[in-house]
Amino acid sequence: MKKNMLLTVLFVITVLATNAQVGFRLKPRTSTIEEGITPLITIKDNTTGIKDGMPPLTTIGKDKSKVVYKTLDIVDYNYKTTIKKDKDVVLQKLIQDLYDNSIKKDGKAPFSQTVLQTKSDSVKRLQKEIAGLQTTMDSLYYIYVKDLMTYRSINMGFGSLRSRAFFDLIYGNQGKRFNALGNAGVNFGNNTGSVYSELVNGNLGLFRVSLGTMVSSNSTTDKDEAKKEEAYQRLITYGGNTVLNFEYPLAYLHSKNNQYNLVSRLITKGTADFPAFGTITEKWAGSGSLGIDIYADAATSNNSLRFFCNFNASKLYGTDVFRDNLGINKSNFTFGQVSLGLVFLERFKISFIIATMSSEKSLQNRHVIAGGQVLN
């Protein structure tokens, strides 16, 4: 009864979540960069960084040149860079004047309290304005990076900025660093069912990090068989009833209008099965995994139907209880799966896990798992 109640509550949360989604929602996008029309230019970012709210007295580092396409975002970026540079010069002079006067290096009498207060207020105001300009510049360049990735058909080699842009493009979170209930899904297998909801996600340097929870249930009367079926249901869908997920992009390939896409990611997970969250066994079980995920899709010209294929393979390291729950011989094993599905009307997604591969024979091709999600 307790497990069914948890399942029902999580399902209701999943359905009602306004931004509930899982998997990719790659839609046709238009880049502002046009082949043969948008010229390449070189920009220099020779601005001074701000550390701990206080700019250094001298410029740190060398000028950094970037070769970019001449877009409106870059034009605005250049304007802000010039304004920021001018304010930096004024700020550095003010701070230097204050410092020289404080140690009598300028040979002048100490500033009066009124002058000191005026100059100090100007320093704080300039610091705030420069920080605001830097934030705007970062946003403009970030928009340009997303635009560039949309324009280029082959994207590989991801730093932190390109990684964040990648996840914005495939998950469609419009640059938000965190958003609640970002993913949700319902899956059904042989006498089993589960509901998964991603509670929170965000970018951490190169990685997209997410924390989710899942509740599973089954209709098998035999307790030992039910334990194995539920454990397999968790393994083949998200891994456990509590999941910490790290993703790093490896490749993003797409046609000009995103009608065809291929995405590859490196994924590492930490999972835990807590009895309090609805597992049959009374002992805690955990696992860690490292693997690769490859996703490919093709859509109709009007994007009303999108067919996709997903392959992933990983190496898992589990606890003894994790092994016993699955009914396998080793706690460390390889596991992979292939799923097919479609997204229709850009809102509803159905998928089927049609094949599984593993170093443990009992985990190979046991039965098909069907899944369904609502995308907003």
Side-chain angles (χ1 to χ4, degrees):
M1 177 64 72
K2 182 179 179 181
K3 186 187 302 181
N4 291 337
M5 185 177 296
L6 284 170
L7 189 63
T8 302
V9 170
L10 192 54
F11 176 74
V12 171
I13 293 174
T14 297
V15 173
L16 294 180
T18 58
N19 56 350
Q21 70 174 58
V22 72
F24 305 135
R25 299 176 56 195
L26 293 164
K27 300 179 181 180
R29 293 178 174 85
T30 302
S31 171
T32 61
I33 302 171
E34 297 184 38
E35 188 94 38
I37 298 177
T38 311
L40 283 167
I41 59 172
T42 300
I43 62 173
K44 287 186 177 181
D45 182 6
N46 52 6
T47 55
T48 303
I50 295 178
K51 184 178 181 181
D52 298 329
M54 282 295 295
L57 295 178
T58 57
T59 301
I60 295 177
K62 298 179 180 179
D63 291 356
K64 298 179 180 179
S65 297
K66 301 184 180 78
V67 178
V68 299
Y69 285 95
K70 191 188 298 181
T71 66
L72 289 177
D73 295 320
I74 289 300
V75 170
D76 198 4
Y77 176 92
N78 286 338
Y79 275 119
K80 297 296 190 296
T81 300
T82 301
I83 295 170
K84 181 174 179 290
K85 180 182 177 182
D86 292 342
K87 289 182 180 291
D88 267 323
V89 172
V90 176
L91 176 62
Q92 300 308 319
K93 186 177 184 306
L94 270 172
I95 292 178
Q96 195 65 54
D97 287 346
L98 285 168
Y99 180 77
D100 289 346
N101 187 258
S102 70
I103 61 173
K104 298 183 179 180
K105 184 179 178 181
D106 57 2
K108 299 178 181 179
F111 291 140
S112 67
Q113 189 62 39
T114 301
V115 172
L116 180 60
Q117 185 64 50
T118 299
K119 287 181 176 289
S120 297
D121 290 343
S122 296
V123 167
K124 293 176 182 177
R125 175 179 53 79
L126 283 168
Q127 287 175 339
K128 186 175 180 180
E129 290 174 358
I130 290 171
L133 283 166
Q134 186 63 60
T135 299
T136 302
M137 289 164 57
D138 290 343
S139 297
L140 288 168
Y141 198 76
Y142 174 66
I143 292 170
Y144 168 77
V145 169
K146 286 209 299 182
D147 191 15
L148 187 61
M149 290 178 66
T150 302
Y151 168 71
R152 288 180 175 170
S153 296
I154 300 175
N155 295 277
M156 303 179 73
F158 294 85
S160 58
L161 187 65
R162 282 167 56 84
S163 178
R164 181 185 167 196
F166 167 87
F167 289 119
D168 265 3
L169 288 171
I170 68 172
Y171 285 103
N173 54 12
Q174 285 84 43
K176 295 179 182 178
R177 300 292 287 185
F178 289 89
N179 61 330
L181 292 172
N183 281 346
V186 182
N187 294 276
F188 300 97
N190 185 27
N191 299 318
T192 60
S194 63
V195 176
Y196 176 83
S197 182
E198 187 176 276
L199 300 178
V200 67
N201 68 69
N203 294 93
L204 181 63
L206 299 172
F207 302 94
R208 179 183 188 268
V209 185
S210 61
L211 178 66
T213 184
M214 179 174 66
V215 175
S216 57
S217 183
N218 72 90
S219 58
T220 306
T221 56
D222 183 86
K223 186 175 180 179
D224 291 336
E225 187 63 25
K227 179 179 67 175
K228 293 179 182 179
E229 287 294 334
E230 275 199 17
Y232 181 74
Q233 175 82 6
R234 292 191 294 272
L235 171 70
I236 204 171
T237 50
Y238 296 95
N241 60 26
T242 303
V243 183
L244 181 63
N245 197 60
F246 291 81
E247 304 174 44
Y248 174 72
L250 298 176
Y252 173 36
L253 287 68
H254 61 89
S255 61
K256 289 298 182 183
N257 60 357
N258 279 103
Q259 189 173 4
Y260 306 99
N261 301 277
L262 188 146
V263 170
S264 178
R265 299 165 296 155
L266 183 70
I267 297 180
T268 182
K269 283 183 182 180
T271 71
D273 289 327
F274 296 104
F277 289 176
T279 57
I280 291 178
T281 57
E282 296 179 356
K283 296 181 180 180
W284 172 86
S287 71
S289 66
L290 176 65
I292 188 171
D293 183 277
I294 300 173
Y295 168 94
D297 72 16
T300 57
S301 57
N302 61 1
N303 207 43
S304 60
L305 281 176
R306 184 175 293 275
F307 301 90
F308 66 86
C309 176
N310 196 192
F311 167 79
N312 62 68
S314 58
K315 178 72 174 182
L316 285 91
Y317 303 87
T319 63
D320 291 342
V321 176
F322 179 80
R323 174 201 63 199
D324 295 341
N325 287 348
L326 285 168
I328 56 179
N329 297 319
K330 297 181 179 179
S331 56
N332 302 336
F333 58 95
T334 58
F335 186 79
Q337 61 191 44
V338 177
S339 61
L340 300 174
L342 61 89
V343 177
F344 56 97
L345 301 178
E346 300 186 63
R347 187 171 179 82
F348 305 100
K349 175 181 176 180
I350 57 175
S351 61
F352 300 91
I353 300 173
I354 60 171
T356 58
M357 301 76 68
S358 177
S359 57
E360 292 290 322
K361 291 185 178 180
S362 63
L363 300 179
Q364 298 176 4
N365 297 322
R366 285 175 58 167
H367 47 73
V368 173
I369 298 288
Q373 291 110 25
V374 177
L375 310 177
N376 280 349

